[in-house]
Amino acid sequence: MAWSFAKKEKLKSKKLIDQLFTEGKSVSSYPIKLIYLKTVLTHNVSIQTGVTVSKKNFKSAVKRNRIKRLLRESYRLNKGLVYNNTEDNFAFLFLYLGKKMPDFKEIDENLQLVLHKYNKRIEHEKFA
C-alpha cells in the first residue's frame, strides 16, 4: 500500500508543539528522538507529526532541510507500524540529534527502532 503524508497530518500548531516539549514523553534511538503526547486533534487524523533538526549542529539550511526531508520520507514509509497499533490521538515530534550528515538507510533503521520502542511503551502504558 502506498502511504502518503497529507497536509492535515502535519503538526503545525505552535501551542501543541510547546505542549509537547513541556508535557510530552519521549523514546529515542540515537540520532533520532521521538517526543509524543496523547492529545485531541481537530482534523480527522489520529496522529499529527512534525520533524526538526538542530540549527546548532547544522548551520546550513540546505543540510537541515535535507535531513528533515529524509525524516519525513522515512516516517511516511513506516507510519503503518504506528497507525495499525493505536486508537488514540497523538502528536509526534521527531528530533534529529546527530552531528553528522546521515544517509537514508541510517535514518530509516533508527526511525523504525524508535517506532517499535514507542509501540512497546504504549502497550505497557495500556496495561499498567
Side-chain angles (χ1 to χ4, degrees), residues 81-94:
L81 296 171
V82 181
Y83 268 80
N84 299 335
N85 298 325
T86 186
E87 299 87 39
D88 297 317
N89 291 339
F90 284 93
F92 280 5
L93 187 64
F94 288 100

Side-chain angles (χ1 to χ4, degrees), residues 39-85:
T39 186
V40 178
L41 299 174
T42 54
H43 298 290
N44 196 12
V45 291
S46 57
I47 298 172
Q48 280 192 332
T49 306
V51 296
T52 184
V53 179
S54 168
K55 192 173 186 178
K56 182 179 168 190
N57 294 339
F58 293 95
K59 304 286 186 230
S60 165
V62 173
K63 289 181 179 176
R64 286 195 308 274
N65 291 340
R66 166 101 177 123
I67 295 168
K68 288 192 278 188
R69 200 163 52 243
L70 292 173
L71 281 167
R72 282 192 294 265
E73 177 66 6
S74 180
Y75 173 72
R76 182 186 72 81
L77 294 171
N78 295 302
K79 71 180 182 181
L81 296 171
V82 181
Y83 268 80
N84 299 335
N85 298 325

Side-chain angles (χ1 to χ4, degrees), residues 90-107:
F90 284 93
F92 280 5
L93 187 64
F94 288 100
L95 298 146
Y96 184 78
L97 306 172
K99 292 181 180 3
K100 66 176 186 65
M101 197 68 187
D103 60 348
F104 180 75
K105 185 175 180 251
E106 180 186 349
I107 285 201

Side-chain angles (χ1 to χ4, degrees), residues 31-44:
I32 297 173
K33 181 176 184 178
L34 166 64
I35 302 174
Y36 64 94
L37 180 67
K38 191 173 179 178
T39 186
V40 178
L41 299 174
T42 54
H43 298 290
N44 196 12

